[in-house]
Amino acid sequence: MSEIKKIKNLKEFSTSADRFEGANLLCPGCAHSIIVREILNATNDDLVLSASTGCLEVCTAVYPYTSWDASWIHIGFENCSTAIAGAEAMYKSLKNKGRLKQPDRNPKFIAFGGDGASYDIGLQWISGCMERNHDMMYVVLDNEVYANTGGQRSSSTPIGSSATTSPAGSISYGEKMNKKDLMGIMGAHNIPYAAQVAPNKWKDLVKKVQRGFATEGAVFINAVSPCTTEWKFDPKDTMMLSDLSTDSLVFPLYEIIEGREINITYRPKNVVPVEEYLAAQGRFKHLFKDQYKHLIGEWQTRVDENWAYLNRREEARV
Amino acid sequence: MAFDKMELRDIEVWDGNHAAAQALRQCQVDVVSAYPITPSTPIVEGYAKFKSDNYVEGEFVMVESEHAAMSGCIGAAAAGGRVATATSSQGLALMVETLYQAAGMRLPIILNIVNRALAAPLNVNGDHSDMYLCRDSGWIQFDAFSPQEAYDLNMIAFKVSEDHDVRMPAIINQDGFLTSHTAQGVHTLTDDEAFNFVGTFKPMNDMLDFEHPVTHGVQTEEDWHFEHKARQHNDMMTIIPNKIDQAFADFETLSGRKYNKVECYDMEDADLAIVCMGTSVETVREVVSELREKGLKVGVIGLRVVRPFPFFEIAEALKNIKAVAALDRSAPGGAAGMLFNEIAGSLYNTDSKMLLSGYIYGLGGRDLTKTNIVDLYNELQANADAGKVLTKQQQFIGVRGPKLAYL
Ligand SMILES: Cc1ncc(C[n+]2csc(CCOP(=O)(O)OP(=O)(O)O)c2C)c(N)n1
Ligand code: SF4
Ligand SMILES: [Mg+2]
């Protein structure tokens, strides 16, 4: 078992050894890079990483360059989970056969997928990896849209958001479906650990990720990842958007242990109205027209109900 | 816990599936990631049983689809070890995206394809449409005509594929049911002989070497993609054919069994020839022997290596032939059959005056009978006598209804 890295403060954390270089092609202000750095910096152990096709992948491994100072693999859009599961299986095999080159290490196997790769096309692959309980961590960089391909809806895109395949228009308020509850689905796999995290709440994130690293077996992490391009906000406001998402309870932070025990890990002192969260993003701009204004109230009701439900589950331990 | 070795008789009665599973066991594959489908399922089941009985030390990952099976193989191969799987037909079709990825990433992975028709209509029997589906995927492709060959070619495939100058994934095809489920005598190697032939896996660019991190599966656009693909093709055309010959020679030294990229039977003085694959090769050989007794100068070529296609060997073997038939066991979908095309390409700019005709046969497990083959040689004889192809260039054998002929 490896030692858990001690992290004292943000300054030290943000300057610790980088295995994901700043030299990458992600948009300025992209939360993907912040989340990846926070996760990788939470451990000193060796890393074996994978990424699904999407912004993170196309922006960090453009031949002949790489932003990764750790072993990394990309295969396709849907299978970064199984790619890392295969690597983990090989690790076990070689360990068992005494053929590891550096047998004294404690590598961590982490797959990074977008919401498109995770909520949609790759769900089956993730389900398989979680069910088989590979010793790996699957991280969703959840920007609620197919960002890499120009902003098409995913099953994570929330209702009322304008996406290119569910655009707002004179007779449409945009996306019609509610965001899929992927945490619920992962919880139903009864995996050792699942958690929702946000880059602004970095201490909470590190705690959860470190718990994940210390866990033997499959770990699922869903990270909200504000996307300046598709959510339509100023690149300097990424952290503000992240704050708004957690503090409005649109994106609550909690964990599910063994599919049974739910713990809410962040309760904002001052809960921000959902309207403020929506108003900060161009993708919801049309909701403020008279025609669609009633949806803002519905949004608030839905978030309140979800929060109440989460609290009931925490209390009831279900 | 150390794994157990298995005592084998010199000759075991195995079907093609069991022969392949035994070869995987003997090669001590580090990770098998697989999903069952008829008729390749017994390879996966057989391997699972070996694992349960402690004959396998490596990991066996039963995934939730064939796409995941190959995805797992790719991750495992990039991590740095010996990797194999098996599939058929629809499973292969589901896998296709990852086949191209495995080849593009130059990862040595061994895939046993037990050939079966592709739906629709759904059909579990043998033809070569799945083999043809991945013919341009960049994989080395061997073809076994019998359980013995399925066994031997697995070992040869590991040897070629894992060579550091090769680093290409390899497929071993065998016919669904006719090979996969038909038990025959198989000459075995001992566990030690088999493993020593392939040797311990030598990693290269392995993700598990933490002192030398590597990036696998990068993005390239118009700036580099073409060079990458051209290099891959170049290696297939120049380096890999020699490596295959070398592995065949090494295997002959070990086992006494000789393989060739192009398996010629009674071809030395032949005027007429059939070129085909799979179990049909054995059927045609029987007919050839019978016709030879009647004094007909006939021969047959079995294609042992489908990719890289042995253009020069085919041209050499056919150079004095008057008339030849290419037998394709896959619906051509609006073109000539693959074998017809490749044979034509092998001979086009040579001095050969060979008359080439193409036949589509055996789809969905339809039998190719000895009578069919005799008829076919008669047609070739007529073509040779006339000095031109008297029929249409493309005909269908053994299909009910009005005669189908094109081109
Ligand atoms: C099988 C397949 N289908 C579709 C695509 C096209 N594609 C590539 S990335 C992408 C969207 C990625 O979205 P997401 O997973 O949310 O990642 P993001 O770019 O938003 O981080 C799509 C549709 C593909 N590469 N492969
Ligand atoms: S489009 Fe969005 S997710 Fe993609 S790089 Fe830009 S900010 Fe990041
Ligand atoms: Mg996305």
Side-chain angles (χ1 to χ4, degrees), chain A residues 114-116 141 143-147:
Chain A
D115 51 293
L141 302 170
N143 57 11
E144 304 184 328
V145 69
Y146 295 175

Side-chain angles (χ1 to χ4, degrees), chain A residues 8-85:
Chain A
K8 287 194 212 89
N9 54 52
L10 184 57
K11 187 167 177 222
E12 184 196 287
F13 183 48
S14 63
T15 52
S16 60
D18 245 351
R19 286 182 283 185
F20 176 62
E21 301 284 345
N24 61 60
L25 301 171
L26 293 157
C27 300
C30 176
H32 282 5
S33 61
I34 303 168
I35 296 162
V36 170
R37 280 184 54 146
E38 288 180 359
I39 292 174
L40 302 196
N41 281 355
T43 181
N44 287 328
D45 284 329
D46 293 298
L47 299 167
V48 183
L49 307 171
S50 73
S52 60
T53 312
C55 279
L56 182 70
E57 171 262 332
V58 302
C59 296
T60 63
V62 182
Y63 184 80
Y65 305 105
T66 183
S67 307
W68 303 92
D69 194 9
S71 282
W72 182 94
I73 184 170
H74 157 254
I75 310 177
F77 187 18
E78 63 291 86
N79 51 5
C80 69
S81 54
T82 318
I84 219 67

Side-chain angles (χ1 to χ4, degrees), chain B residues 41 68 83 94 102 119 145 169 239 254 278 307 309 320 332 342 347 359 368 380 390 402:
Chain B
T41 298
V83 175
L94 191 58
F145 316 151
I239 297 172
L254 171 67
R307 289 289 184 273
F309 191 85
N320 296 320
E342 309 300 30
L347 286 147
Y359 294 82
L368 178 71
L380 292 184
L390 298 169

